[in-house]
């Protein structure tokens, strides 16, 4: 007899069996993504339960964070998280918009890819590098040059003056917001750039045909057309800023209090967890930190999910994935 | 009319000029960060960085235990996360294409992609560290692996979708089962794209600090034991940079330079591969 050949039917059966295995494996891996989300949520609720049970709603409304008396309230950290992220957004959004406009409209074609790549590389720099850069380079600059000026010029104004009073520490909410702004800049830019590019050419040509200037085309045609995408991109950046840890931990000052001034040290949810978790003694302390994590997760989930839904609607319209 | 036109032109020039300035500002920031890294980190770069372990305050030493720990945990994390990610992407692009489950999974994956990494650290802490009773390198690797999954799912699915369906149909027409089509036709065709995705995931986790803080912790000494705390570059940088000791701060800068160079080279490499093979734009995030 010649070489051993496997009967055709056996081979078919083998193929079918591998097919079943492969399909089950792929489905299981896909379902694992869902399980991860559920698992994270469950683990955080489980870990934070003792704190949530003890403090109930007070956990959200109290500012006192005292490990000695075991009094834990999340409000100061929540305040710092929101304020630093807002500062970051106020600084990053106009700059991101400018870069996106430059890269899609004014920039010479041959320069678009290299400049675009450089801006995106900013997103690849690890957050801890932003942190030490913020602490050793940015904070002293802000302390000696920018903050004294802010205190002099804005400190005496009637309404917003309160935000710029007190000694220039260098580190604090403003500095943290500044570092966050640099970090989220490439993410917002990248989404804005993509949605600007998706503007139908005919719309722009029509506006030029009516005699619009380049800027008028951007402001009155491209931007309204890309509105949903721009908002989605900003919210995506906001989600990043809220949850960013290392860059903030270095420069925020880690003080659990709410002071009126932006120049004062504060803390954020993520910075509190990063700083205190390994040193936390006792169930209540650890569990309060995990409850903080739960708060952060829910907060960012809502923002990011809303942003993604906005972008998803756009994708359906343009067929491109954002 | 003429005055009006002049005003409109001036507005346009000012606004577009400002957009150029914004770009300069962005580029200058990147340059400033890189300049600081080089000027402060390069001087500390010597052979002892790669041969000695992390020192006590005031004495000399290197980063070898941290580098070793980072490499081990990053590769383990990649080994855990990348296959799961590619399999899940296979489901989304092949088996479940267009059905409601894959729409939901894609959405959740996009949310996980931007979820705060410190929360992943807390998750692995309650799941692994509390069960084992102590911090360990394996817990660190698991948390990095969890971060790898959404990154790989996203890029791998995009790459698999680029493969024309005519290739799948040709394979099916020869009598191949879907799994054979996927492994013998789709994967090889998307090879460079998948590689890009894995490289981007590697770049993403190389500098991750937050999820390692309370999973792998840190270790002053050389340790190759996966069930024990292990030193790693990001956490060492964090600890050394915030210390008052000059030699620790200098090592922190050197470590930061090493990580940043590694990550930037990886990102550029991933870009080159995807553009060389025409696998389309790979996006950050």
């Amino acid at each position: 007899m010649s070489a051993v050949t496997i009967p055709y039917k056996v081979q078919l059966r083998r193929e079918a069996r591998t097919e079943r295995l492969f399909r089950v494996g792929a489905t299981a891996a896909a379902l694992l993504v869902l399980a991860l989300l559920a698992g994270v949520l469950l683990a955080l609720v489980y870990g934070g339960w003792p704190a949530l049970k003890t403090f109930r709603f007070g956990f959200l409304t109290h500012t006192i964070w005292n490990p000695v008396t075991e009094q834990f309230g999340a409000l100061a950290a929540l305040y710092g998280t929101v304020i630093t992220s807002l500062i970051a957004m106020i600084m990053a959004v106009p700059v991101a918009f400018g870069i996106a406009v430059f890269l899609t409209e004014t920039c010479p074609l041959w320069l678009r890819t290299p400049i675009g790549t450089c801006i995106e590389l900013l997103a690849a720099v690890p957050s801890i590098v932003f942190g030490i850069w913020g602490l050793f380079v940015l904070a002293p600059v802000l302390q000696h040059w920018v903050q004294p000026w802010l205190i002099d010029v804005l400190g005496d104004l009637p309404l917003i003056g309160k935000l710029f009073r007190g000694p220039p520490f260098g580190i604090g909410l403003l500095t943290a917001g500044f570092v966050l702004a640099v970090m989220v800049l490439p993410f917002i830019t990248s989404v804005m750039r993509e949605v600007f590019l998706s503007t139908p050419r005919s719309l722009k040509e029509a506006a030029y045909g009516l005699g619009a200037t380049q800027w008028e085309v951007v402001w009155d045609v491209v931007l309204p057309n890309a509105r949903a995408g721009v908002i989605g991109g900003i919210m995506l950046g906001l989600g990043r800023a809220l949850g960013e840890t290392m860059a903030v931990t270095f420069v925020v000052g880690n003080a659990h209090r709410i002071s009126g001034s932006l120049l004062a040290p504060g803390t954020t949810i993520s910075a509190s967890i990063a700083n205190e978790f390994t040193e936390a003694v006792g169930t209540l302390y650890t569990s309060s930190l995990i409850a903080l994590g739960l708060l952060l997760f829910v907060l960012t989930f809502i923002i990011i999910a809303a942003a993604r839904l906005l972008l998803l609607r756009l994708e359906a319209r343009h067929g491109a994935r954002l | 009319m003429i005055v009006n036109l002049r005003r409109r032109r001036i507005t346009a020039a000012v606004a577009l000029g400002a957009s150029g300035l914004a770009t300069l500002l962005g580029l200058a920031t990147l340059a400033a960060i890189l300049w600081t890294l080089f000027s402060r980190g390069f001087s500390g770069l010597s052979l002892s960085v790669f041969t000695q372990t992390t020192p006590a305050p005031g004495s000399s030493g290197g980063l070898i235990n941290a580098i070793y720990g980072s490499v081990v945990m990053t590769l383990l994390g990649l080994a855990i996360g990348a296959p799961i990610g590619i399999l899940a992407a296979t489901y989304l692009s092949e088996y479940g294409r267009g059905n409601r489950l894959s729409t939901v999974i894609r959405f959740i994956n996009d949310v996980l992609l931007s979820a705060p990494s410190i929360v992943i650290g807390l998750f692995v802490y309650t799941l692994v560290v509390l069960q084992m009773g102590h911090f360990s390198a394996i817990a660190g690797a698991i948390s990095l692996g969890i971060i790898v999954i959404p990154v790989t799912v996203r890029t791998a699915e995009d790459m698999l979708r680029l493969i024309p369906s005519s290739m799948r149909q040709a394979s099916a027409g020869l009598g191949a089962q879907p799994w054979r089509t996927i492994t013998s036709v789709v994967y090889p065709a998307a090879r460079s794209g998948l590689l890009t995705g894995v490289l981007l995931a590697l770049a993403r986790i190389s500098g991750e600090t937050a999820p390692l803080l309370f999973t792998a912790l840190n270790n002053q000494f050389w340790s190759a034991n996966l069930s024990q705390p292990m030193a790693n570059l990001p956490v060492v940088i964090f600890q050394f940079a915030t210390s008052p000791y000059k030699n620790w701060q200098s090592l922190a800068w050197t470590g930061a330079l090493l990580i940043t160079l590694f990550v930037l080279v990886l990102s550029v490499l991933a870009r080159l591969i995807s553009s060389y093979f025409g696998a389309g734009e790979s996006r950050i995030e």
Side-chain angles (χ1 to χ4, degrees), chain B residues 242-260:
Chain B
T242 48
S243 78
Y245 312 112
K246 276 277 166 281
N247 71 315
W248 274 18
Q249 288 182 7
S250 151
L251 270 176
W253 281 107
T254 306
L257 176 67
L258 287 178
I259 287 196
T260 310

Side-chain angles (χ1 to χ4, degrees), chain A residues 15 19 216 308 321, chain B residues 8 154 158 179-180 285:
Chain A
E15 289 278 307
E19 171 60 27
E216 284 163 348
R308 285 292 175 194
R321 199 153 180 214
Chain B
R8 284 168 57 205
R154 169 90 192 223
D158 284 350
W179 77 270
R180 213 171 251 294
E285 282 180 90

Side-chain angles (χ1 to χ4, degrees), chain B:
Chain B
M1 241 355 238
I2 300 296
V3 178
N4 194 10
L5 180 61
R6 186 179 298 155
R7 196 190 299 149
R8 284 168 57 205
R9 281 192 177 146
I10 292 174
T11 313
V14 169
L16 294 175
S19 81
L21 279 182
T23 311
L24 274 182
L25 193 66
L27 293 177
T29 315
L30 179 67
I33 291 172
L34 291 181
W35 166 250
T36 314
L37 274 178
F38 269 100
S39 64
R40 300 210 182 187
F42 199 73
S43 58
L45 209 56
S46 63
L47 199 63
S48 62
V49 169
F50 302 100
T51 53
Q52 292 175 23
T53 57
T54 45
S59 60
S60 69
L63 293 166
I64 185 62
N65 51 338
I67 294 173
Y68 171 83
S70 273
V71 169
V72 166
M73 282 189 276
T74 314
L75 289 183
L76 262 180
L78 213 54
I80 296 169
I84 297 177
I86 290 179
L87 265 181
T90 308
Y91 177 81
L92 295 182
S93 127
E94 311 293 324
Y95 289 113
R97 185 181 284 213
N99 70 14
R100 184 169 292 178
L101 178 65
S102 57
T103 312
V104 172
I105 291 176
R106 194 173 299 121
F107 179 73
I108 295 297
N109 188 68
D110 279 348
V111 173
L112 280 179
L113 193 64
S114 318
S117 58
I118 192 155
V119 170
I120 304 295
L122 286 177
F123 170 60
V124 175
Y125 174 83
T126 37
L127 201 72
V128 182
V129 177
L130 278 186
Q131 310 311 319
M132 286 177 76
H134 53 83
F135 301 103
S136 66
I138 192 73
I142 290 174
S143 55
L144 292 182
I146 291 177
I147 294 170
V148 167
I149 293 175
V151 185
T152 327
V153 170
R154 169 90 192 223
T155 39
E157 196 211 344
D158 284 350
M159 297 307 162
L160 294 178
R161 274 169 172 269
L162 285 176
I163 307 305
S165 47
S166 55
M167 286 174 72
R168 297 188 181 90
Q169 286 156 5
S171 169
L174 290 173
Q177 293 270 9
W179 77 270
R180 213 171 251 294
T181 303
I182 292 165
T183 52
S184 318
V185 176
V186 179
Y187 282 168
R191 199 176 44 214
S192 66
L194 296 177
L195 182 63
T196 308
V198 173
L199 286 183
L200 285 179
L202 179 59
R204 167 82 193 266
I205 59 170
S206 299
E208 277 290 355
T209 316
L212 293 177
L213 281 174
F214 26 84
T215 51
L217 203 67
N218 195 356
N219 198 331
Q220 197 71 45
F221 308 102
W222 175 271
S223 165
N225 188 343
L226 287 182
S227 62
Q228 289 299 317
M230 194 182 264
N232 56 89
L233 272 178
V235 176
V236 166
I237 294 172
F238 179 45
Q239 187 195 342
F240 280 17
T242 48
S243 78
Y245 312 112
K246 276 277 166 281
N247 71 315
W248 274 18
Q249 288 182 7
S250 151
L251 270 176
W253 281 107
T254 306
L257 176 67
L258 287 178
I259 287 196
T260 310
L261 281 184
F262 179 68
V263 170
L264 289 187
V265 166
L266 265 184
S267 309
V268 172
L269 195 68
R271 245 157 244 281
L272 285 181
I273 291 177
S274 75
S275 66
Y276 182 77
F277 288 97
E281 281 275 299
S282 56
R283 291 178 20 82
I284 53 168
E285 282 180 90

Side-chain angles (χ1 to χ4, degrees), chain A residues 42-123:
Chain A
L42 279 178
L44 292 180
V45 170
Y46 169 80
W49 193 248
L52 294 176
K53 212 174 64 184
T54 313
F55 303 117
R56 294 170 190 272
F57 274 108
F59 187 69
L60 286 179
T61 53
H62 284 281
T63 54
I64 299 164
W65 184 271
N66 192 336
V68 181
T69 59
E70 299 219 304
Q71 282 286 312
F72 299 105
L75 195 60
L78 189 60
Y79 168 84
T81 306
V82 173
I83 291 293
T84 49
S85 301
L86 284 184
I87 297 173
M89 288 296 127
I90 290 169
M91 290 192 209
V93 169
V95 179
F97 175 70
I99 298 177
V101 168
F102 183 78
L103 285 177
T104 52
E105 300 290 333
T106 10
C107 183
L109 278 178
W110 60 275
L111 260 177
R112 286 185 188 187
T113 313
I115 293 184
T117 308
C118 279
I119 298 291
E120 296 204 345
L121 280 185
L122 204 52

